[in-house]
Amino acid sequence: MRPLEPLPTHLPESEQAARLPRGFEALGTTAGIKDSGAPDLGVVLVQDGPAAIAATFTTNRLPAAAVQMNKAHLKATAPDGDGRYGWVDAMMCTSGCANAATGAAGLADQRTLAATLATHAGTQPERVIAMSTGLIGTRLPIGRVANALTSITGSFRTDDAAFAEVADAMRTTDSVAKAASVTVELHSPDGGLVPVTVSGVAKGVGMIHPNMATMLSFVLTDADAQPETLSRMLRPIVARTWNQISVDGDQSTNDTVLLVASGASGASPIDEDPEAIATLEQAVEAVARSLARQQAADGEGAATLITCAVSGGADDAAARAAARAVVSSDLLKAAVHGSDPNWGRIAMAVGNAVIA
């Protein structure tokens, strides 16, 4: 049988590399969370903030302390956003401890670290956003992490390697760090074209299932956009990318995607320009798609990446439901793992599809 050609895509080409957009500085370091001594703290600062931010979070009914805090911080900086978007000056990610199912004490720990980072970044705690990943049910060693946050003051860098360090510090059981970047052109106020970078780093290998997957991701851009614009852009992109992947059928307590725009590229604001919005949206989706595929390919124990392209659906929701059912089917995964080309299991999975 002749293999099917991939369905056409309108998305720009992405590269699997971390490219720190203008307007940000970053670093990854060791804070003593992991017993191994591996990097476990990544921090990204906005140089001339605040920056616009939009976020999507896990729908797990036991959200981690960082998720709870982030929603409150976003709502404090943009009350109309109801915790979906706002303004940010500093972001951090800790790995090795999920700080989930830790109750009021865990939430207090997370707020303490946000206040510590805010002090050293010269901002307010409400403009600090955090992510955490690792073992559920354990509390962060806040003394060690606070000391690390204090000691790295003045050490931040603006090179691509600094953003790659963040990707490495986010890893738990990931076998490799995950990054993706796209460069597009947007109009400047004088009518010319300027390059705009969209770059993301992510972690995620286990507990990956539709409705955000088990993952964390920073997606940064130097485009100029308001938080509301970023939020309208991000949510359908997450639905088309991260919400379509599956590894083991479980969803984490910590899942978070952050889309942050520094506005430092020199391009005109995109908010009233449909063409510019479409250009940036395609770049963000290309980065998200690459990161999602990298995460699925690195699933714990995974030896094969299964992709499913659907055509002929009644609408986009129906097509996505069919694809999601196929890649989530344990019977199909078993057939692929056993090199058994059993198309009946694909048909079975499609018949089980449920439109969300």
Side-chain angles (χ1 to χ4, degrees), residues 92 109-122 125 128 142 145-150 153:
M92 62 184 291
D109 291 344
Q110 203 72 63
R111 288 171 173 161
T112 296
L113 294 178
T116 301
L117 180 55
T119 296
H120 293 282
V128 174
I142 61 169
V145 180
N147 287 338
L149 290 172
T150 301
T153 301

Side-chain angles (χ1 to χ4, degrees), residues 27-48:
L27 64 76
T29 188
T30 300
I33 303 170
K34 297 175 181 174
D35 292 337
S36 66
D40 50 21
L41 173 64
V43 182
V44 177
L45 301 183
V46 182
Q47 290 183 307
D48 295 307

Side-chain angles (χ1 to χ4, degrees), residues 274-298:
E275 182 179 348
I277 290 175
T279 297
L280 184 63
E281 182 174 13
Q282 290 168 11
V284 172
E285 185 162 353
V287 167
R289 177 181 290 189
S290 175
L291 291 173
R293 288 186 173 182
Q294 290 177 56
Q295 289 168 305
D298 195 30

Side-chain angles (χ1 to χ4, degrees), residues 60 62 64 96-102 133-139 207 251-254:
N60 190 297
L62 189 69
C97 169
N99 195 17
T102 50
T133 180
L135 186 65
I136 293 172
T138 59
R139 290 174 59 185
M207 285 192 213
Q251 181 190 191
S252 172
T253 55
N254 294 59

Side-chain angles (χ1 to χ4, degrees), residues 180-261:
S181 299
V182 168
T183 299
V184 294
E185 290 186 327
L186 294 176
H187 286 286
S188 64
D190 63 9
L193 293 173
V194 296
V196 169
T197 300
V198 178
S199 187
V201 296
K203 71 82 54 185
V205 288
M207 285 192 213
I208 294 182
H209 194 61
N211 290 330
M212 272 294 287
T214 296
M215 54 81 60
L216 306 175
S217 182
F218 292 104
V219 181
L220 310 179
T221 179
D222 44 23
D224 189 338
Q226 290 294 304
E228 301 94 321
T229 302
L230 296 179
S231 184
R232 287 193 298 269
M233 181 182 301
L234 179 63
R235 301 185 81 78
I237 287 173
V238 168
R240 294 191 294 263
T241 56
W242 280 297
N243 279 10
Q244 290 296 112
I245 63 175
S246 180
V247 170
D248 51 27
D250 284 317
Q251 181 190 191
S252 172
T253 55
N254 294 59
D255 304 332
T256 301
V257 176
L258 304 177
L259 174 58
V260 190

